[in-house]
Structure formats: structure tokens, C-alpha cells
Amino acid sequence: MRTNLITAILILFALQINAQSLDEKIENLLELDGTIRNIENLITQTIDYQKQNNFGISDNYWEALEKKVTKKSLAEFKTLVKPVYSKNYTESEIDNLITFYNSSTGKLVTEKQPIIIEELNLPLMQWSQNLGSFIIEEIENRGENESTSDEKEKFKTEFKDKYGLQILNLTDLAIDKENNIGDLLIDFGKTDGKKDVTKIIRVKNNSNKEIEFQEPKFLSNEVIKFDLGNEPLGIGKTRDLKITLIAELAENKSYSMSSINYNNGERIQFGIKYDAPAKEISFKISARKLMFKKLKQDFSKPYVFILKNTGKKDFYISDIELDKQIAYLNWNKETIKPNEETEIRVVFSKQLIAKQKNTDSNLKLEVDLTKGEKGGFSSYANETIELTIE
């Protein structure tokens, strides 16, 4: 009897699937596999972001706005997704996916997937950092082996044939044996971060014409400065091509490609390597403590903290945490360049204070500063500062 009942349910389910149109099946699949739930979460996060930047608007408005936006945006999302699904899946494959996500195993996958993604967040971040470090370490070790005298002579000959230049101080430079980063490796080594370091490529013009050097136009790097001379290098003449590492801008381990342009378009490519100390975030703030004034209206006047970048590196406010949700916050989410100022604005609300049932209006702000450009690939330092209104 039990077997017959299960069979009947499965047949009924199969008939319901077949009765649906392809578009309806795709919508069903988007619900079952968690896609719609993820989109709804994204909409909520977007609304919350705007809520933080538009204080003084009632909660009822935000709730109504979220419903309106969700309805419109979900409809647009489904319109965009359906053609992609119908192009990449046959109707039979979509039926099979729906059957799977309706099964106990499929429901388990949908239920556990967000939890697994969240728990994997930190381990994957560490794994990614370890992967990057390993790759960089392997790259940095290139060119460190001593070259034999035969290899050096062969390199000198090939360099002269290729560029019309003879290198007179090859013992001070490294050869990129794998030739992946360029011909030479300019290794500044481990620096103290205080004094500029200059490396020299001493060359002699062994070609049959003058050679004019120019700084690179596309592979430029603000950390590296060139002194290549202002006049063309005459036939048979010798010159020191100076490459300087700017101490106040260089930081951490770096291995990159650069070049010297010559004769209107040709390039001598080489690697730049250095290991410099990390630079700390440098800032000045107008006041770390402001005095609270009794609220005479529903909202206080803005309390303003002015933050200035006094260093050489960009940073941005990555987050601000309040110890009590009794005020609205507003701050610039973009990168703060050197010598630029930005404001952190705080507005107290009687409604929020009453909602929290809190008679103590003292407020602490934990402000996280992250070095680097907002949205950049990596940041090497951060700092947390504490601001108070009491």
C-alpha cells in the first residue's frame, strides 16, 4: 500500500511538471536551487546600503520600497535569465534538475549551500593568499642562480645584437634566464624604506647610429624613476642608465615588469624586484571626542568628524560600527587620496533613542581604515580608530 502511494505521488508530480510551460519550469528551478533567494538577499543588502546613507527616513518607507523594488527587479531578472537557461539546457534537463532539487538530497544541497559558502569564506581567503604567496615566491626566485661565464658572454653578445648596446657592468645585474619578464632583472634587494636606491645599467652604443632613450609610456610605475639622459647616445659613446627606487612609495615585496623605450617605439624589457617595509596609514582627525547636546527636535544637528589623509598612500573607510543604534551615520565610501579630507557625519534621532529604550546618549564609533584604493585587488594594512560623542 505504501509503495503504491509513493508511486502515485511521483506520477502526479511528473504530470505537474509536464503540464508547465518551459518558462514556468525555469522559474520553478530558480526557486528550488536558491537563485531567487540569493537575488532577494542582494536586493535587501542594496536597500540597507542606501538606508545607511539616507538617514531620517522612516522604517515603513524602507519596507514598502523593498517590496516594490523586489517585485520589479525579480521580474526583470527572470526575463534576463530565462533565455540563458533555455539556450543552455534542454527541457528534459530542466525537468531532471527540478526533480533533483525536489528530492531530499536536492533540498539538502539548497539548504546547506549558503552555510558552506559562509564557512568556506575565511579558509578560501587564506588558501588564495597562500596560493598568491607561493606563486610570487617562485617568481622571485627566478634569476637568483649564478650565471656561468659562458652564459654571461652569450647574453652580452645577444643583447648587443638585439639592441645595439653593450652592457659594461653585467656583474652588477642579474640575467633573466627564463626570459619571461625581460632580458635583465634589476634587484634592489631588501631596503630600509628610508633612502632611495639607485641601480645603474652602464651601456655603450655599439650600433651604427645614435640611440635615443625615453621613459616607458605604458609600463610606467610611480615607485620607479628613470634618468636616461637628455641627449641621444652617440656611436661608440658610453652612458649610465639610472633606475631609482623611491623609498617613500615602495612597500612590501614586489616583482614586476618595466621597460626603457628607445628609437621611437623599441623597448628594452626587464624585471624590477624589491623588498621594502610596509607603510602605515597616516591620518589626522579634527577631534576624536565631541560633546552631546540635548535634543530639542526629532533630530540633532550633524556631529562632524573631519578625517584627513596626511600620508603618501590612499586609504578608505571600510566600515564604521556603533556601540548603540541610536544615531544615523553618513560617510564617504570612496578612496581618500593624500592631502584629501572627508567627513563622518552623525545625527542623533529621538525615535531611535526611544526605540532602544536607552537613556545614555554616549556613543562610540569604531572606524576601520583600509589602505589602498577602494575596490583594489589587495590592501596591506588597516587601522581602527575610536571616536566618541558623550
Side-chain angles (χ1 to χ4, degrees):
M1 179 68 179
R2 178 179 174 82
T3 303
N4 292 337
L5 180 60
I6 292 172
T7 303
I9 291 172
L10 289 174
I11 291 172
L12 179 62
F13 175 67
L15 289 172
Q16 287 175 337
I17 291 178
N18 290 329
Q20 291 178 321
S21 69
L22 180 57
D23 280 356
E24 288 172 333
K25 290 178 181 181
I26 293 172
E27 287 194 25
N28 190 10
L29 178 58
L30 293 173
E31 291 280 357
L32 291 171
D33 69 6
T35 300
I36 296 299
R37 180 188 59 207
N38 292 333
I39 294 299
E40 288 174 340
N41 289 339
L42 179 62
I43 292 170
T44 299
Q45 291 169 9
T46 305
I47 295 289
D48 288 343
Y49 176 83
Q50 293 298 327
K51 192 174 180 180
Q52 291 178 5
N53 289 277
N54 294 274
F55 51 82
I57 300 176
S58 69
D59 290 340
N60 290 337
Y61 172 82
W62 291 115
E63 290 173 8
L65 178 63
E66 184 169 346
K67 289 179 182 178
K68 182 178 180 181
V69 170
T70 300
K71 182 179 179 181
K72 181 177 184 297
S73 297
L74 273 181
E76 291 178 352
F77 174 78
K78 291 175 182 177
T79 301
L80 292 171
V81 167
K82 286 176 187 176
V84 177
Y85 270 62
S86 60
K87 178 182 176 182
N88 290 279
Y89 291 119
T90 65
E91 188 167 357
S92 176
E93 289 169 339
I94 290 175
D95 288 340
N96 291 337
L97 286 170
I98 291 173
T99 302
F100 170 74
Y101 281 111
N102 267 304
S103 69
S104 57
T105 303
K107 290 176 180 177
L108 183 65
V109 170
T110 305
E111 178 187 344
K112 296 294 185 182
Q113 191 178 50
I115 300 171
I116 291 171
I117 290 174
E118 183 176 352
E119 291 184 0
L120 280 174
N121 187 31
L122 287 176
L124 284 176
M125 189 181 298
Q126 184 62 56
W127 173 84
S128 176
Q129 291 174 348
N130 291 342
L131 173 64
S133 299
F134 176 72
I135 291 172
I136 290 172
E137 182 179 350
E138 288 298 307
I139 293 172
E140 287 178 341
N141 287 334
R142 292 190 308 156
E144 290 189 351
N145 296 329
E146 285 292 326
S147 301
T148 65
S149 57
D150 288 343
E151 287 174 331
K152 289 180 178 179
E153 289 304 316
K154 181 173 182 282
F155 176 83
K156 285 182 183 179
T157 301
E158 291 178 348
F159 194 90
K160 183 167 61 175
D161 292 342
K162 186 176 182 180
Y163 300 111
L165 293 168
Q166 179 184 359
I167 297 182
L168 303 178
N169 64 331
L170 188 57
T171 53
D172 300 335
L173 307 168
I175 301 172
D176 179 8
K177 293 183 180 181
E178 298 178 32
N179 202 34
N180 287 332
I181 202 74
D183 296 295
L184 292 167
L185 178 63
I186 312 299
D187 189 353
F188 291 93
K190 193 174 183 66
T191 69
D192 60 9
K194 298 176 181 178
K195 296 180 180 178
D196 294 349
V197 182
T198 298
K199 293 287 183 177
I200 292 174
I201 306 175
R202 184 167 293 122
V203 294
K204 181 180 180 181
N205 184 353
N206 275 29
S207 69
N208 57 3
K209 61 181 179 180
E210 291 184 336
I211 296 177
E212 185 178 1
F213 299 105
Q214 306 102 21
E215 291 186 24
K217 294 179 180 179
F218 301 107
L219 299 173
S220 59
N221 187 336
E222 64 176 0
V223 178
I224 304 297
K225 297 299 179 187
F226 297 88
D227 181 2
L228 309 177
N230 298 322
E231 300 293 331
L233 180 62
I235 299 170
K237 299 294 183 181
T238 299
R239 179 177 297 171
D240 287 350
L241 306 179
K242 298 178 182 178
I243 304 170
T244 301
L245 180 74
I246 307 303
E248 66 179 12
L249 297 178
E251 63 176 333
N252 302 295
K253 289 184 177 181
S254 178
Y255 189 65
S256 60
M257 184 171 70
S258 191
S259 67
I260 293 173
N261 294 351
Y262 72 100
N263 289 354
N264 299 320
E266 300 296 324
R267 285 204 305 258
I268 303 171
Q269 292 186 343
F270 55 90
I272 293 285
K273 178 181 173 184
Y274 59 83
D275 183 0
K279 302 291 191 299
E280 298 300 322
I281 292 174
S282 181
F283 64 90
K284 181 173 68 176
I285 193 144
S286 57
R288 293 186 182 229
K289 183 183 295 185
L290 299 175
M291 298 303 296
F292 177 78
K293 296 180 182 178
K294 188 174 180 180
L295 273 71
K296 295 180 181 180
Q297 299 179 354
D298 290 340
F299 299 100
S300 70
K301 291 183 178 180
Y303 292 80
V304 180
F305 298 93
I306 299 175
L307 180 67
K308 182 177 182 179
N309 184 348
T310 58
K312 299 290 184 181
K313 293 290 181 180
D314 300 345
F315 66 80
Y316 59 95
I317 300 173
S318 51
D319 191 27
I320 300 180
E321 290 190 6
L322 301 178
D323 66 340
K324 292 190 290 288
Q325 297 297 324
I326 60 175
Y328 296 103
L329 274 180
N330 184 270
W331 75 90
N332 180 10
K333 305 295 192 301
E334 301 307 317
T335 304
I336 306 165
K337 301 287 184 182
N339 295 316
E340 283 186 356
E341 291 183 349
T342 190
E343 293 183 350
I344 301 171
R345 301 172 72 86
V346 184
V347 175
F348 283 87
S349 164
K350 277 186 178 180
Q351 183 185 14
L352 289 180
I353 293 173
K355 188 175 181 180
Q356 294 287 326
K357 297 178 182 179
N358 200 318
T359 56
D360 181 9
S361 298
N362 289 357
L363 189 69
K364 288 185 179 179
L365 294 77
E366 296 287 341
V367 182
D368 291 336
L369 308 180
T370 300
K371 187 165 65 175
E373 186 175 349
K374 180 68 182 289
F377 179 72
S378 60
S379 301
Y380 301 103
N382 56 58
E383 185 166 342
T384 299
I385 57 176
E386 185 175 288
L387 308 176
T388 60
I389 301 174
E390 59 183 31

